[in-house]
Each structure stands twice: as structure tokens, then as C-alpha cells.
């Protein structure tokens, strides 16, 4: 009897919100897509489906009994580099890729332990160091040819900034974003060439039997590791701890502090541009991180 795949309502709602018609088509095709790969790769579903904003993840066993997960997601510019990066890292600091379908972006990955997630580590300061150590390891690798480039993204952000600033009514917020753009302009011509994860927050770090912590769900870029720091500053946000976290991470990664600060401002600018262009109010958390890094708030 064929396995019936149920798509979680939260995943369907997220796809509707962020991808519109393409998201609806993806969700409607998920049961058939999953069934096809369960048959093609000789997999047996062994648990309830999991999901984030963009992917359906099914715990499965391979024919030889090896536990794994089947990850099905929309193929776009953010996800197409994921299997490339995972192959390069080859399980060293990141989840191991077992199989991959280029046409759909579907991946078979080693199964980690979803109950042992970094966000549940009681010590927030240690969690920041875990992320820093993973980033130091992952970003030691040069990005391969053809990877999306941070320099291109940063240049496009700077082009969009004047129009976006005109839509920000608060002069203090406008000034912060203008300062972020000015800092980004200082480094945009030297964007770096390291293989970046780009989305290494606490929910994207899991434990396994073979390693204390491993990264999942990269959205790879070629660029400067300073662009990687923002998630660890925002996780379990503590305004009074922003500068200590920033200093600790730059120490672990061996980064020039001023350059890393400029790329972190670039990450803040990117987040705020998305909010402005989507008609959402700016988050004070974003602005407060910029204030704390600038030293304007004691």
C-alpha cells in the first residue's frame, strides 16, 4: 500500500505567503513528488513529516536500514547551491549529502537528531561559540566557481537603498540605515571568496552521534565571513550582549573587526530592505543591533 504524504498546513501557508502561485503549485505537487522519490531511492517513511518555511522533510530508512531524511523544496537561487556546498563540506561540520536530484533539488541527507538542537542549549553564550566554531570551519573553504556572489547581492542592495530610505518615516531609523549603507560601500569592492552558509542560526544546528554539532540548511554564497555573524547576534536577543558576542565571534573566526562590522551592517541593511519592500515595519531588534555595534548605546 503506497505511503500517503500529508503536507503540514503551516508549510502550505508559508509557501502561499512567500511564493504565491509557485508555492501553491509546489505544495499541491508534494505528495506525488515525495512518492516518486520514495520509490526511486527505495525509502521507507519512519516518522511524522517535519518542515520549515520552505521544505518538507521526511524521516526515512534506506533499503539497508540506514536512517536518513528526504528533503523536498522549491528549486530557486537560494536552494540550488545547497547540494554543491554540502558535497564540498562532505559531512565535515555539516550534514552529509547522500543523494541528490538536480532537476527538482530533492536531497537525501543523513539523519541528525532533531531533539538535540542548539536553540535548546541552556547556555546562550556557549551557543554563540558553537556557531562561531562551525563558521570558522565551514568558511575556511573557498567557494567553487558559479556560486552566487555576495558582491553582486551587496551591489544590488546599495542600488535599492535610496528608494527604500524614502519610505522610512522615522528619521532616526533612516539615519541608521544610511550609516549601514555607507559602511557597506567601504567594503563592497572586496566581497571575499569563502564558501558561506548564510543562514547559520540556532535552529540550523543539530547534534548527531558522529559529531557534537552540525550545520544544516545552507543558503550558500561566495563572500566574506563577516556576513555570517548576524544570526548569532539576534538569537535569544540580548541588547547588552551584542558587542560581547560580536567580539567573541570575530576572535574565533580571526576576522578584522572593522571589516566584519561593515559586513554585519550589510546584513542588517539586507533584512531591513526586505521589510521595507514588503511593506512591513522595521524591527527594533535590527536597529538596536546596529546601534549597539556602533557604540552609540551604552
Amino acid at each position: 500500500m503506497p505511503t500517503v504524504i500529508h503536507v503540514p498546513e503551516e508549510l502550505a501557508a508559508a509557501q502561499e505567503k512567500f511564493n504565491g502561485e509557485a508555492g501553491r503549485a509546489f505544495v499541491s505537487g508534494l505528495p506525488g513528488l515525495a512518492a516518486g522519490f520514495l520509490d526511486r531511492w527505495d525509502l521507507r517513511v519512519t516518522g511524522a513529516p517535519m518542515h520549515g518555511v520552505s521544505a518538507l522533510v521526511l524521516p526515512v530508512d534506506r533499503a539497508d536500514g540506514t536512517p536518513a531524511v528526504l528533503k523536498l523544496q522549491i528549486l530557486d537561487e537560494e536552494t540550488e547551491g545547497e547540494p554543491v556546498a554540502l558535497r564540498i563540506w562532505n559531512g565535515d561540520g555539516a550534514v552529509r549529502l547522500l543523494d541528490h536530484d538536480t532537476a527538482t533539488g530533492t536531497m537525501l541527507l543523513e539523519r541528525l537528531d532533531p531533539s538535540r538542537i542548539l536553540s535548546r542549549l541552556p547556555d546562550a553564550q556557549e551557543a554563540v561559540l558553537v556557531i562561531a566554531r562551525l563558521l570558522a570551519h565551514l568558511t575556511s573553504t573557498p567557494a567553487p566557481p558559479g556560486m552566487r556572489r555576495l558582491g553582486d547581492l551587496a551591489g544590488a542592495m546599495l542600488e535599492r537603498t535610496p528608494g527604500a530610505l524614502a519610505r522610512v518615516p522615522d528619521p532616526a531609523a533612516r539615519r541608521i540605515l544610511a550609516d549601514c549603507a555607507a559602511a557597506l560601500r567601504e567594503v563592497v569592492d572586496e566581497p571575499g571568496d569563502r564558501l558561506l552558509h548564510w543562514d547559520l542560526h540556532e535552529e540550523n544546528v543539530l547534534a548527531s552521534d558522529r559529531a557534537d554539532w552540525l550545520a544544516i540548511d545552507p543558503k550558500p554564497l561566495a563572500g566574506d565571513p563577516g556576513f555570517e555573524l548576524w544570526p548569532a547576534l539576534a538569537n535569544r536577543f540580548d541588547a547588552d550582549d551584542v558587542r560581547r558576542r560580536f567580539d567573541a565571534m570575530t576572535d574565533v573566526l580571526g576576522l578584522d573587526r572593522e571589516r566584519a562590522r561593515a559586513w554585519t551592517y550589510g546584513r542588517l541593511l539586507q533584512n531591513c530592505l526586505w521589510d521595507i519592500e514588503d511593506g512591513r515595519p522595521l524591527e527594533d531588534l535590527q536597529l538596536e543591533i546596529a546601534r549597539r555595534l556602533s557604540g552609540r548605546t551604552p
Side-chain angles (χ1 to χ4, degrees), residues 164-174 282:
L165 289 181
R167 298 167 59 182
V168 178
D170 178 27
R174 278 202 309 274
L282 294 177

Side-chain angles (χ1 to χ4, degrees), residues 251-269:
D251 282 347
V252 171
L253 276 87
L255 301 180
D256 176 84
R257 203 156 282 172
E258 289 308 307
R259 183 177 176 83
R261 195 188 319 270
W263 281 114
T264 302
Y265 286 147
R267 185 68 174 269
L268 292 165
L269 179 64

Side-chain angles (χ1 to χ4, degrees), residues 3 23 28 41 67 103 107 110 143 155 188 265 287 296:
T3 302
S28 67
W41 287 336
M107 291 181 290
E110 72 171 312
V188 69
Y265 286 147
L287 302 176
R296 291 176 184 160

Side-chain angles (χ1 to χ4, degrees), residues 152-187:
D152 296 335
L153 269 66
M157 283 158 39
L158 291 173
E159 291 178 1
R160 289 152 50 203
T161 296
L165 289 181
R167 298 167 59 182
V168 178
D170 178 27
R174 278 202 309 274
R175 185 166 57 253
I176 288 172
L177 295 185
D179 288 347
C180 286
L184 180 59
R185 250 179 235 108
E186 294 294 320
V187 296

Side-chain angles (χ1 to χ4, degrees), residues 41-54:
W41 287 336
D42 198 6
L43 306 172
R44 179 175 63 88
V45 176
T46 58
M50 300 171 285
H51 69 92
V53 172
S54 60

Side-chain angles (χ1 to χ4, degrees), residues 178-248:
D179 288 347
C180 286
L184 180 59
R185 250 179 235 108
E186 294 294 320
V187 296
V188 69
D189 290 334
E190 297 180 2
D193 66 350
R194 301 292 90 185
L195 180 56
L196 306 185
H197 182 288
W198 190 27
D199 196 27
L200 199 59
H201 53 75
E202 289 185 342
E203 300 290 323
N204 276 346
V205 181
L206 300 179
S208 78
D209 292 337
R210 69 176 180 85
D212 288 338
W213 299 108
L214 294 168
I216 64 169
D217 291 347
K219 304 292 185 285
L221 291 173
D224 190 293
F227 199 62
E228 297 271 38
L229 306 184
W230 177 84
L233 303 179
N235 288 156
R236 294 188 246 186
F237 180 62
D238 180 348
D240 292 334
D241 203 33
V242 167
R243 277 186 280 181
R244 189 207 63 79
R245 293 185 187 186
F246 177 81
D247 290 347

